[in-house]
Each structure stands twice: as structure tokens, then as C-alpha cells.
Amino acid sequence: MATRRIERTQESRRMLVAAAAELFAERGYRQTSFIDIADKAGISRGSIPWHFGNKLGLLEAVVDDQLQAVLAGFPPPAGERPDDPLEQVIEFIRLPGTRLFITLLAEAVEVGSPIREHYARLHAALRQGVQAWTPKEALPAGATPEAFTVVVVGAIIGVHAQWRVAPEAVDLGAVHAALRALLPPGVR
């Protein structure tokens, strides 16, 4: 009996996180209400404070859940370089779950934001992944590995944001080719 109750509790929590993730990605955190989330999940809105304390607790659970899913492949295992790291970047941008990170980015940069640390971890993992597939000898003259990876991750985030805002205006295939042409040999 207790096992069944635990399973129902875990399933309710999972459904609320999934519904909130979808709605936060579509509308943003501030524009999504408990009622919206509960309706989407098909669960009582009283379940949200019971599971998460408040809407902020739910947001943190959503970001943490999505962060874990996105970071599953970042960085690549030590000494292992993807066949086409730029293609991996384009596929990362296309992941449905990554839309949430662009939607909530403005909230993450606010001082005191509860999701700021989550974003810092995401960006650190992306930098670590880029650095893992960038041989130091391939770096342009005068570029440190740290600065180079910040620039590349900044480009990735910028392309991602532009594509989410106007997908009809951003050809990810052409972006892939342009990045390949801009990056020094050995990095591509």
C-alpha cells in the first residue's frame, strides 16, 4: 500500500514538472500560473505547494530536471572527441528541452535569481565540453583556452536564441557551415 502511494506521489511530481517545463518554455515563468500547470498536468493545484513548497520551488525542480537531461552528454568523456563537435552543437540547439533555457535566460541573469546557479552550471558544462574538443595547439594566436570557449559558448547561446525567436530566418545548416569556416583547423 505504501509503495503504491509513493509511486503515485512520484508520478504526480513528474507530471507537474513536465507540465511546468512545457508551459515555462512556451510562456515564461512569470506568465504561467498554478492553475495553468495543474490543468496541463491534470492534477490538483494544491499538489504544487505540497510537492515543491511554492512556484519557485517548482521552477527550480523544472530547471534542475531539464539541466540533468541536457547535461547528460556534456562534457564528453575525457579524451573522447565527438566526430563532428559542431554537429553536436546544432543538435543540442534543436533539443526541445533547451527551449526552456532560452525562455528563462532573462530571469537567470537577474541578481538573486533562484535559477542563476543552475545557469552557471549549464554554461560551465558547455565551456568544459567545448574545451574538451578544442586542442590547445589549434587555438588562434593570443587566445587562451578559457577565453576561446567563452566566445564559442556565447556564439552557441546567441545562435540558439536567434533560432528560437525567428526559426524561419536562421538556417542552422548554414550556421553549421559558417561556424566550421570560422573556427581554426583542428577545432572543427
Side-chain angles (χ1 to χ4, degrees):
M1 181 73 109
T3 302
R4 178 69 181 127
R5 186 177 2 188
I6 291 169
E7 288 173 2
R8 277 197 324 260
T9 298
Q10 290 172 340
E11 180 63 11
S12 293
R13 187 179 196 288
R14 187 197 63 71
M15 290 169 65
L16 287 166
V17 167
E22 190 174 323
L23 291 170
F24 291 162
E26 281 176 19
R27 304 176 186 175
Y29 170 72
R30 292 184 181 117
Q31 300 303 317
T32 303
S33 70
F34 270 16
I35 295 169
D36 298 330
I37 296 164
D39 286 350
K40 179 106 179 142
I43 296 174
S44 159
R45 73 177 179 212
S47 295
I48 297 171
W50 189 82
H51 284 287
F52 306 101
N54 55 31
K55 187 176 166 189
L56 200 53
L58 176 56
L59 174 64
E60 289 178 327
V62 166
V63 172
D64 221 24
D65 182 67
Q66 294 294 312
L67 184 64
Q68 294 309 315
V70 168
L71 296 183
F74 282 90
E80 194 174 300
R81 182 177 181 200
D83 290 334
D84 185 351
L86 292 177
E87 183 60 35
Q88 186 181 35
V89 165
I90 298 301
E91 290 311 310
F92 171 79
I93 288 171
R94 286 188 172 119
L95 289 173
T98 61
R99 177 180 179 197
L100 176 71
F101 293 110
I102 294 301
T103 304
L104 298 177
L105 183 58
E107 294 181 46
V109 298
E110 292 178 9
V111 175
S113 168
I115 59 173
R116 189 178 192 137
E117 182 56 36
H118 296 282
Y119 273 74
R121 284 194 347 249
L122 171 65
H123 292 173
L126 291 172
R127 287 190 304 272
Q128 189 177 359
V130 169
Q131 208 164 24
W133 52 260
T134 304
K136 288 182 182 173
E137 61 276 2
L139 293 174
T144 66
E146 296 78 17
F148 182 78
T149 58
V150 167
V151 169
V152 172
V153 169
I156 293 166
I157 293 168
V159 166
H160 189 188
Q162 291 179 68
W163 181 69
R164 292 290 177 183
V165 169
E168 71 286 347
V170 178
D171 177 347
L172 289 178
V175 168
H176 179 250
L179 283 171
R180 182 170 299 293
L182 290 170
L183 291 174
V187 175
R188 336 182 194 154

